[in-house]
Amino acid sequence: MTPSAQAGIGFTSLRSRARMVDALRQKGIRNEAVLAAIQAVPRHLFVDEALAHRVYDYKNVSASNYQAALPIGFGQTLSHPYTVARMIEILLDRRAQLGKTLEIGAGSGYQAAVLSHLTEEEVWAVERIAPLLARARQTLARIPEVRVRLELADGTLGWPAAAPFHSIIMAAAARQAPAELLSQLAPGGRLVLPLLSTDGKEQYLHHIERTPRGFTETRLESVRFVPLLSGIAS
Ligand code: SAH
């Protein structure tokens, strides 16, 4: 491909991303630092080339049905840009930076890349499916400004060697917040995750903050995520 054709693709994806960011703003994402991080990450690199044209399709932006999300293989999906933006906005809250950050369920690596734009400290991301992790590693290596430490691990256990974290984000739904993640949260740190309702039929975003006295927990809007599974899959 000629350099000018490559530049053309870069320009098109920048413009498509700007439209996607406008759509996110209209849907209620207010944090400009989060929107700038989304603008900066080349989302099309995180899916198969055949699907790349769909990643900026903003009809997709706010769909809450995860069946409509883009497949990344192994039965997993790339989260909608709205979901990514919303979760990170909640995670950041009024802080200027995320600080040391842990992501459970790295999948394609897209959300980890967005997170890395919001902290000068390290982003650690774990994934339990080996081939997905390998692909995420390859993709992230193509984006030099992004620094993420990826590991094949059961995220239910967090990443004890790197704890404590100022921010933890989980991209898969569980019945309750894993105890290890709570214990790896720094004082004042935040955890954002989807949790199942007691009847197991619904999922809601929750944020949990570590206070000097313990933890405060707030339930937010309903969401749809793949389940958190235990163990590692090769
Ligand atoms: N954040 C991803 C989307 C993740 S989909 C992205 O931006 O592309 C949720 C991911 O969580 C899946 O890849 C799934 O394999 C992973 N997952 C589920 N349970 C897990 C666990 N216990 N530990 C680590 N990863 C897990």
Side-chain angles (χ1 to χ4, degrees):
M1 193 184 288
T2 64
S4 62
Q6 266 174 3
I9 288 174
F11 183 60
T12 309
S13 83
L14 268 181
R15 274 201 319 208
S16 313
R17 233 149 46 232
R19 280 200 300 269
M20 183 177 85
V21 164
D22 279 345
L24 293 174
R25 208 179 264 118
Q26 275 169 28
K27 292 279 171 201
I29 302 298
R30 291 280 168 265
N31 192 310
E32 289 298 325
V34 174
L35 292 168
I38 292 208
Q39 174 69 47
V41 177
R43 182 169 159 86
H44 57 283
L45 298 184
F46 293 84
V47 292
D48 280 347
E49 260 171 64
L51 293 173
H53 65 286
R54 284 180 54 198
V55 297
Y56 300 121
D57 177 359
Y58 43 88
K59 286 195 284 301
N60 251 335
V61 162
S62 64
S64 56
N65 177 0
Y66 85 100
Q67 317 265 1
L70 294 177
I72 53 173
F74 310 94
Q76 308 303 322
T77 54
L78 178 69
S79 304
H80 284 285
Y82 178 80
T83 311
V84 172
R86 177 75 181 128
M87 283 180 86
I88 299 180
E89 182 174 72
I90 296 164
L91 188 64
L92 194 56
D93 192 35
R94 285 171 295 258
R95 300 180 294 178
Q97 295 243 343
L98 291 170
K100 196 180 198 184
T101 301
L102 173 66
E103 181 192 27
I104 310 302
S108 68
Y110 173 70
Q111 178 160 273
V114 177
L115 292 167
S116 82
H117 278 276
L118 291 161
T119 177
E120 277 158 21
E121 295 184 53
E122 272 164 326
V123 174
W124 309 67
V126 298
E127 172 54 53
R128 64 179 289 279
I129 301 179
L132 264 186
L133 183 88
R135 204 188 296 159
R137 228 187 258 295
Q138 278 175 1
T139 310
L140 290 172
R142 294 171 68 188
I143 316 174
E145 71 272 19
V146 163
R147 275 183 43 248
V148 175
R149 301 183 61 147
L150 287 165
E151 187 161 285
L152 182 69
D154 178 355
T156 315
L157 307 172
W159 196 326
F165 297 96
H166 304 109
S167 301
I168 303 181
I169 188 163
M170 204 164 96
R175 291 214 158 265
Q176 57 190 45
E180 295 295 334
L181 296 188
L182 294 176
S183 72
Q184 290 173 28
L185 210 51
R190 287 190 144 221
L191 164 63
V192 173
L193 77 176
L195 291 179
L196 290 158
S197 56
T198 1
D199 63 9
K201 289 189 183 148
E202 314 281 336
Q203 296 177 11
Y204 294 91
L205 271 189
H206 286 240
H207 74 72
I208 299 179
E209 197 166 315
R210 184 161 206 165
T211 65
R213 289 159 178 269
F215 295 94
T216 58
E217 178 163 354
T218 308
R219 191 181 96 164
L220 303 160
E221 67 261 34
S222 100
V223 282
R224 200 88 177 91
F225 277 85
V226 296
L228 183 79
L229 301 174
S230 56
I232 286 171
S234 51

